[in-house]
Amino acid sequence: MGLFTELKDSISRATDRLFSEQEPKRIGIYGPPNAGKTTLANRIARDWTGDAIGAESHVPHETRRARRKENVEIERDGKTVTIDIVDTPGVTTKVDYEEFTDEMGEEDAIRRSREATEGVAEAMHWLREDVDGVIYVLDSAEDPITQVNTMLIGIIESRDLPVLIFANKIDLDESSVKRIEDAFPQHKTVPLSAKEGDNMDEVYDSIADYFG
């Protein structure tokens, strides 16, 4: 009986090592510009690693290159889920330099629009090739029925990737989570405010459940 117990414990330890040595799943944070993707990525990274991922700004396309935070360990109900967070540039069908001219000179605006366009292409590459799951962030104060959202959700579904929709900015008076739920009823929608930290327990529960 003692030999059987030792053998079972040995197998259990080997199995634990096997699963612990598996590479973390790469979870891409996607959505349109200014939905709060980097704010969310920073919130998750700070909560579990103490470090931020990137700069936040009200100016569209602040994130123009994908940024990755590796080995983020999220603990829920005695279970640890390890993921790599990929904060991607906001995806849009058109980047016009004139949308930046209120914040900077024309030359800088043109450069920013060029970098933002390259960032969109990079985000699409990650989505098609290099992510294992998606957190799709929407501004709950905006209409979710757009060409970009419909296209990206369609691509995610065609790749059969697990996806969570996060209805961000619930701290705003004009927020409507139901509008997002009605737009994409086939996917779970989690309300939150990444800026204020509202409802982050459900956020982490959902991440552990979907991507663990």
Side-chain angles (χ1 to χ4, degrees), residues 2 14 29 54 71 76 107 148 159 163 190 196 208:
I29 299 181
N71 296 314
R76 309 306 291 174
E107 184 177 338
V148 166
R159 288 207 56 215
V163 56
V190 180
E196 302 297 333

Side-chain angles (χ1 to χ4, degrees), residues 42 44 55 59 128:
N42 283 340
I44 296 172
V59 182
R128 295 181 185 278

Side-chain angles (χ1 to χ4, degrees), residues 146-166:
T146 67
Q147 181 181 358
V148 166
N149 292 334
T150 302
M151 174 191 72
L152 285 177
I153 293 294
I155 292 172
I156 293 165
E157 291 174 344
S158 71
R159 288 207 56 215
D160 199 27
L161 293 170
V163 56
L164 282 169
I165 295 180
F166 284 179

Side-chain angles (χ1 to χ4, degrees), residues 110-141:
I110 292 173
R111 176 178 52 80
R112 190 183 185 98
S113 67
R114 182 173 61 249
E115 291 174 351
T117 301
E118 293 170 354
V120 170
E122 183 184 15
M124 296 306 297
H125 171 80
W126 274 92
L127 182 59
R128 295 181 185 278
E129 304 291 339
D130 291 321
V131 296
D132 303 307
V134 173
I135 292 171
Y136 200 82
V137 182
L138 290 171
D139 182 342
S140 61

Side-chain angles (χ1 to χ4, degrees), residues 78-102:
K79 175 183 176 183
T80 300
V81 176
T82 305
I83 61 174
D84 291 349
I85 298 172
V86 184
D87 179 28
T88 68
V91 176
T92 184
T93 55
K94 179 182 179 182
V95 181
D96 188 341
Y97 81 92
E98 292 183 349
E99 66 182 298
F100 308 119
T101 53
D102 288 342

